[in-house]
Amino acid sequence: MNKFEKPIYVTMPTLAPLHEVDAYMERIWASGIMTHNGPLVQQFEKDFSAWSGVDKTVAVCNGTLAIQLAIRALGLPKGGEIITTPFTFIATLSSILYEGYKPVFVDIDSDTLDIDPKKIEAAITDRTVAILPVHVFGNPCDVEVIDDIAAKHGVKVIYDAAHAVGVKVNGKSVLSYGDVSATSFHATKLLNTSEGGGIIARDPSVDERLRELRFFGYNKEKDVACVGTNAKMTEVNAAIGLANLKYMDAILADRREKYGLYKAILSGCPSLSFQKIAPSCNCSYFPVMFEDEATLLRVDSALKAANVYARRYFWPSVNKYRSICADAEGCPISEDIASRILCLPLYRTLAGDEVRMIADNVKEVIG
Ligand code: T4K
């Protein structure tokens, strides 16, 4: 077993050289503008949109509020049902509940780990107001099929794109599908602003409403147009994001290379399986599925003994959180996969040799 001297975490933030962040910080210090849709937030919105290939982005303070505001901006009938995936981070589910909607879980495709589009229509009722899929681990959902189902039934689509920066489908940004996409710029994400989120809306009036919602409900005329909140991104967060954005192409290439390295070593183990990813997946995580939970637990504790801290993303399947969704439907595929999937460390400063050592450790435990 290869032991590591320093702890190896599931991820580490991508950090641009400090002097490049400082150049932006000097502008903040010179102007005294720290927040309230300042020049750096506006520039970050513009530069992120250009890099992603979308018209506009609304920058907010985190990915969770991005989902909440996305739901709210669509003005959906209160109390309706939102169809979503059980295989996700708690923030997807809690945002639906926080906004006062009933989550209806549709099980996942066991290969892609995204919501199974073939099962969505059966879950649509006259109370359905939206579908909220997640591009799990940056692997794009079947967006064209999902958007078609939504159009046919007159419901909205909100994509939880927290993992999906830099992903293209049919040559277009995945963020341009659906009515709204909500992404995250958290420290653990491919593009980070420390804490942050971004919302991309298809309809310019929804974009406008999002800008009001994040700023206490004030509109451009400084009148209160709706019940808003404070979800602004600060200038300091935008400064970090602007500096990091310049490295995104290199970061994507690096992830793909290390993802390929893990896969090349671990593919030789017949008892392991992997997410079936689209060529455009951003490879932001390296999930691996074991035969059963007992094997996962054995590998996880051996890795910890070697100073490697993999993470059980996502466990449990969120439909199992009985304290907040007591009557949720069972989702056998998601529950099974959640019990035996582990994300191995993957980040820019992780060396290729370290990837090899971690993969060899996994192989050694499973035999
Ligand atoms: N939708 C989906 C599908 C999501 O996955 C998420 C968030 C959201 C929505 C909501 O987006 P945000 O509101 O968070 O913007 C992490 C992240 O906190 C969370 O952003 C992420 N998904 C989730 C999958 O993972 P934890 O509790 O596992 O993170 P934590 O703090 O243990 O960090 C993991 C490792 O990263 C640490 O062991 C070390 C490293 N790390 C972490 C932080 C915070 C650093 O090196 N530096 C840091 O500052 O939830």
Side-chain angles (χ1 to χ4, degrees), residues 297-310:
L297 293 173
R298 245 179 339 115
V299 171
D300 196 27
S301 67
L303 289 178
K304 282 197 175 89
N307 224 359
V308 175
Y309 299 89

Side-chain angles (χ1 to χ4, degrees), residues 118-138:
K118 296 186 294 303
K119 296 182 180 147
I120 292 177
E121 274 198 285
I124 295 180
T125 68
D126 54 4
R127 295 175 301 281
T128 307
V129 295
I131 307 169
L132 202 162
V134 179
H135 304 300
V136 175
F137 304 137

Side-chain angles (χ1 to χ4, degrees), residues 114-313:
D114 288 333
I115 194 168
D116 187 340
K118 296 186 294 303
K119 296 182 180 147
I120 292 177
E121 274 198 285
I124 295 180
T125 68
D126 54 4
R127 295 175 301 281
T128 307
V129 295
I131 307 169
L132 202 162
V134 179
H135 304 300
V136 175
F137 304 137
N139 193 33
C141 294
D142 206 339
V143 283
E144 293 195 332
V145 172
I146 293 172
D147 284 9
D148 283 352
I149 294 170
K152 179 173 157 200
H153 292 273
V155 301
K156 303 286 186 190
V157 184
I158 301 148
Y159 285 108
D160 177 338
H163 302 177
V165 301
V167 177
K168 293 221 184 315
V169 173
N170 301 324
K172 271 171 57 179
S173 170
V174 77
L175 305 175
S176 62
Y177 285 87
D179 292 279
V180 195
S181 287
T183 193
S184 165
F185 304 127
H186 182 260
T188 56
K189 298 297 188 300
L190 222 48
L191 171 60
N192 92 80
T193 59
S194 169
E195 286 274 4
I199 319 170
I200 295 89
R202 180 160 54 192
D203 180 342
S205 69
V206 175
D207 178 275
E208 204 53 49
R209 178 45 59 106
L210 286 163
R211 290 173 200 279
E212 294 164 358
L213 285 169
R214 76 171 169 184
F215 194 52
F216 314 107
Y218 285 122
N219 63 15
K220 278 185 190 146
E221 291 75 41
K222 287 276 177 287
D223 194 9
V224 173
C226 58
V227 178
T229 186
N230 179 356
K232 288 170 270 119
M233 178 180 277
T234 72
E235 290 289 278
V236 173
N237 294 116
I240 298 168
L242 282 164
N244 284 338
L245 194 51
K246 301 204 171 86
Y247 293 90
M248 284 309 293
D249 293 334
I251 290 163
L252 279 170
D254 177 73
R255 287 289 161 119
R256 292 212 165 94
E257 193 185 318
K258 285 174 190 153
Y259 187 106
L261 193 51
Y262 265 130
K263 190 84 185 280
I265 300 170
L266 293 174
S267 291
C269 303
S271 67
L272 299 180
S273 53
F274 306 93
Q275 182 181 29
K276 184 179 173 198
I277 58 168
S280 65
C281 176
N282 60 18
C283 299
S284 47
Y285 294 79
F286 189 80
V288 55
M289 288 171 270
F290 298 92
E291 270 179 333
D292 50 38
E293 188 171 27
T295 312
L296 174 146
L297 293 173
R298 245 179 339 115
V299 171
D300 196 27
S301 67
L303 289 178
K304 282 197 175 89
N307 224 359
V308 175
Y309 299 89
R311 285 302 268 270
R312 295 186 73 179
Y313 297 136

Side-chain angles (χ1 to χ4, degrees), residues 67 71 82-85 92 96 115 130-134 158-160:
I67 304 171
I71 296 172
I82 297 186
I83 292 173
T84 193
T85 173
T92 316
I96 293 172
I115 194 168
I131 307 169
L132 202 162
V134 179
I158 301 148
Y159 285 108
D160 177 338

